[in-house]
Amino acid sequence: MIYEIMTNADWGLGYAASDIDTTSFEDAALVLEGEGQGISYMITSAIEASRLIRTVEEQMDGLIRFNQASAKWEIKLARADYTIGAQPEVNVDNIVEFVSYSRGSWDGTSNQVRIKFADRTDEYKSTYAMAQDTANVRIQDVNVSVTKNYPGCFDRTLANFLAWRDLRSFSYPLA
């Protein structure tokens, strides 16, 4: 979908196919297919291409970026697809200045995620998929819910996947 938005000369951004790193797009498509992620989206009114791309990026948990080294647009998914030992190490020998560090509090977390979607198998009725972190509920002693809407999701299995994925990032205090 993003490839079409970026390359369509009539209604998209009109980039040349040679401006796109198609290998990264194909690799991302294989990962997304393996996760059961698809997107259905009907455009019924004018929308900026960048806003539509942002909607897709949010659902796939990735981004489109311009790679300066290759001079091409590529997709990068937020996945644990790296080797920890190959990552640069930050330590006292290579830090120039350390200003501050703090971890957020449990008060800044959510312990329940609801994904609003139109269920294709039930005549596109509006419904929710939900994920809950009961340990976080016990820590906070209250339900803290967040509701997200993925307009390209019409499948209960995908909505559940998205709810659990989002819960992992919302339920733990980040540094």
Side-chain angles (χ1 to χ4, degrees):
M1 182 175 183
I2 292 175
Y3 180 85
E4 183 67 25
I5 295 166
M6 293 185 74
T7 59
N8 189 293
D10 294 329
W11 55 265
L13 296 172
Y15 285 104
S18 60
D19 293 335
I20 310 294
D21 177 357
T22 54
T23 301
S24 76
F25 277 66
E26 291 166 356
D27 291 346
L30 288 172
V31 170
L32 295 168
E33 179 185 30
E35 293 173 350
Q37 287 210 56
I39 190 164
S40 295
Y41 199 88
M42 181 182 293
I43 301 170
T44 58
S45 61
I47 183 172
E48 287 186 17
S50 61
R51 184 169 163 223
L52 183 55
I53 288 172
R54 180 64 197 126
T55 298
V56 177
E57 285 175 327
E58 188 173 356
Q59 182 171 320
M60 72 177 181
D61 196 19
L63 58 90
I64 305 303
R65 65 183 183 187
F66 187 76
N67 183 325
Q68 296 290 338
S70 67
K72 292 181 184 269
W73 290 97
E74 65 183 15
I75 289 183
K76 178 62 182 144
L77 299 176
R79 304 295 186 277
D81 57 355
Y82 53 86
T83 304
I84 291 178
Q87 301 306 304
E89 182 179 355
V90 177
N91 58 42
V92 295
D93 296 327
N94 58 18
I95 294 176
V96 175
E97 179 182 7
F98 188 79
V99 178
S100 70
Y101 170 85
S102 66
R103 180 164 295 283
S105 70
W106 289 103
D107 293 344
T109 65
S110 299
N111 49 42
Q112 180 174 291
V113 174
R114 294 171 12 128
I115 303 294
K116 183 177 181 182
F117 72 103
D119 190 350
R120 179 182 290 127
T121 63
D122 193 15
E123 300 178 5
Y124 293 93
K125 290 180 184 168
S126 184
T127 188
Y128 295 87
M130 189 175 84
Q132 186 176 49
D133 183 336
T134 54
N136 185 299
V137 172
R138 291 193 64 167
I139 289 168
Q140 294 198 66
D141 201 29
V142 66
N143 276 336
V144 181
S145 184
V146 66
T147 300
K148 303 264 311 203
N149 182 24
Y150 291 106
C153 177
F154 296 93
D155 178 77
R156 180 170 301 282
T157 302
L158 176 57
N160 281 311
F161 172 86
L162 296 171
W164 284 101
R165 181 197 72 194
D166 288 353
L167 180 66
R168 283 190 295 275
S169 64
F170 295 153
S171 64
Y172 191 77
L174 301 177

